Amino acid sequence: MAATGMVPEMTRAHPLLHLSDLAAVRAVVWAAAVALVGPACNSDDREQFPGSTSGTTGVDPTEVPTFTTAEPMDTTMSEPPPPSPDSCRDGISCVVNCALTIPSPTPPEYPWQKCFFDECLAELNYVEWLKLFDLTECVVGLCTATPECIEGDDEKCNLCYLLKLGTPNPPPEGCEDQANACK
């Protein structure tokens, strides 16, 4: 986690925990969704070549590929990613702390994205991003299936997201593997 010099005060409840301002809670859930879905949605992009307007490669569909008896190339191995300065859990802890600093009511120009993305999630390598994505996806699935979320109780639904994402021990029931991977 980026060194911010801030230590959460454990002796008093933070105003966000009273959930008097749902904007801050929604901002956390929205930021997690945007941060995790954005980098993960590029696998379906079609390859574009200069001068192409259709996004196709111009391959002749009648051409028969040439097969050889050479040894196949192993394309599954790649170098391991460089060590991530922050872990998945560091990212979650930092994002929760950012959410706790959002003023109530939140002014429209408040730069919460800077805290979430520049200070919390920028130091995660792709392995840690995937762990965070998997855990968030599981928690969102669990919470949206609860009666509170189904009935539209935004306060309790958002509290479910925060508690299940922010509490590593014990891991959320149903997301144990994802929570244990996100250390």
Side-chain angles (χ1 to χ4, degrees):
M1 178 162 52
T4 59
M6 295 189 314
V7 177
E9 196 172 322
M10 302 304 264
T11 58
R12 64 179 176 88
H14 191 279
L16 178 63
L17 298 179
H18 296 266
L19 298 174
S20 59
D21 181 19
L22 290 178
V25 176
R26 286 186 184 125
V28 172
V29 174
W30 182 83
V34 168
L36 300 175
V37 171
C41 289
N42 63 1
S43 64
D44 294 334
D45 292 344
R46 293 190 308 180
E47 194 169 349
Q48 296 275 334
F49 292 97
S52 172
T53 58
S54 66
T56 61
T57 61
V59 175
D60 182 4
T62 62
E63 184 178 324
V64 178
T66 306
F67 295 98
T68 67
T69 57
E71 288 293 319
M73 292 178 52
D74 184 9
T75 59
T76 60
M77 297 296 290
S78 65
E79 293 184 30
S84 184
D86 289 343
S87 70
C88 172
R89 186 56 56 190
D90 292 334
I92 289 174
S93 296
C94 183
V95 166
V96 169
N97 285 332
C98 285
L100 295 176
T101 63
I102 295 174
S104 175
T106 307
E109 68 279 355
Y110 186 78
W112 61 267
Q113 298 95 334
K114 180 177 187 255
C115 185
F116 285 113
F117 299 112
D118 296 344
E119 296 173 16
C120 292
L121 304 176
E123 295 295 319
L124 297 178
N125 66 16
Y126 73 88
V127 173
E128 297 302 317
W129 267 104
L130 290 173
K131 291 175 187 177
L132 183 59
F133 180 83
D134 289 344
L135 178 58
T136 303
E137 182 180 46
C138 184
V139 165
V140 167
L142 286 177
C143 288
T144 56
T146 63
E148 296 83 17
C149 292
I150 292 171
E151 294 168 6
D153 187 341
D154 288 343
E155 276 188 29
K156 290 182 181 175
C157 189
N158 289 330
L159 183 60
C160 177
Y161 294 129
L162 286 175
L163 291 175
K164 290 192 183 302
L165 277 174
T167 307
N169 240 345
E173 189 174 330
C175 297
E176 293 89 352
D177 292 341
Q178 295 88 342
N180 289 331
C182 183
K183 295 180 181 181

